[in-house]
Amino acid sequence: MITKRDLAIATGAAVLTLAGVAVAQAPKPALIGPSVWRWEDLKPHDTDVGTYAQIARGPTATLDELELHVTTLKPGTSSHPPHQHPNEELVIIREGQVETLSGGEWKKVGPGGVIFNASNSPHALKNVGTTNAVYHVINWKPPGR
């Protein structure tokens, strides 16, 4: 004889199975493959501290996520307060003078400078110059992060 408890367990198992099937069948984002992004095609949008232009964000053949963007910071502003995250990133300064929190110290960086923000390392960036600062960010998440 089937009890109410048996029905409840069977119903729960069926719901969980259907949910698992739905997740497995959900469309996965297309992989970023060979690509070229032209400066003139970027579409920056205004922020409180300057502008932000997303170049790409998605999985690649070897990464769960590759994220590329360009930020412009007005003089005297910061992109965000100091923070940390498990993913790593490179920041390449294109224009202006910035200070970056790296290894617990604030360091000045100008055009052509490269900043590596290591996994779980507190970091921040602020424009300490008299003109806009423009920088490119390359951020990646390896599988399982």
Side-chain angles (χ1 to χ4, degrees):
M1 174 176 246
I2 298 176
T3 66
K4 288 182 182 178
R5 181 176 178 270
D6 294 335
L7 284 174
I9 290 171
T11 301
V15 167
L16 288 174
T17 299
L18 290 173
V21 168
V23 168
Q25 292 179 347
K28 294 184 170 77
L31 292 181
I32 298 172
S35 304
V36 173
W37 298 282
R38 297 182 317 191
W39 186 255
E40 60 269 17
D41 294 337
L42 296 182
K43 307 236 183 305
H45 65 271
D46 291 336
T47 68
D48 291 343
V49 295
T51 65
Y52 176 90
Q54 185 77 57
I55 298 172
R57 185 177 203 150
T60 71
T62 61
L63 297 172
D64 282 350
E65 183 177 86
L66 174 65
E67 192 266 334
L68 310 166
H69 69 267
V70 179
T71 298
T72 300
L73 281 182
K74 297 174 188 173
T77 62
S78 296
S79 54
H80 45 65
H83 71 285
Q84 62 190 49
H85 41 71
N87 47 303
E88 298 172 320
E89 64 187 357
L90 288 173
V91 179
I92 303 168
I93 309 303
R94 178 179 167 146
E95 299 172 19
Q97 295 292 320
V98 301
E99 278 188 356
T100 185
L101 178 61
S102 179
E105 297 178 37
W106 286 96
K107 300 175 182 178
K108 281 194 176 184
V109 186
V114 178
I115 301 160
F116 175 66
N117 292 321
S119 177
N120 294 314
S121 176
H123 59 276
L125 190 141
K126 58 186 174 183
N127 183 347
V128 294
T130 58
T131 61
N132 284 344
V134 179
Y135 56 91
H136 300 245
V137 176
I138 305 163
N139 186 313
W140 61 91
K141 294 178 185 171
R145 276 294 198 171

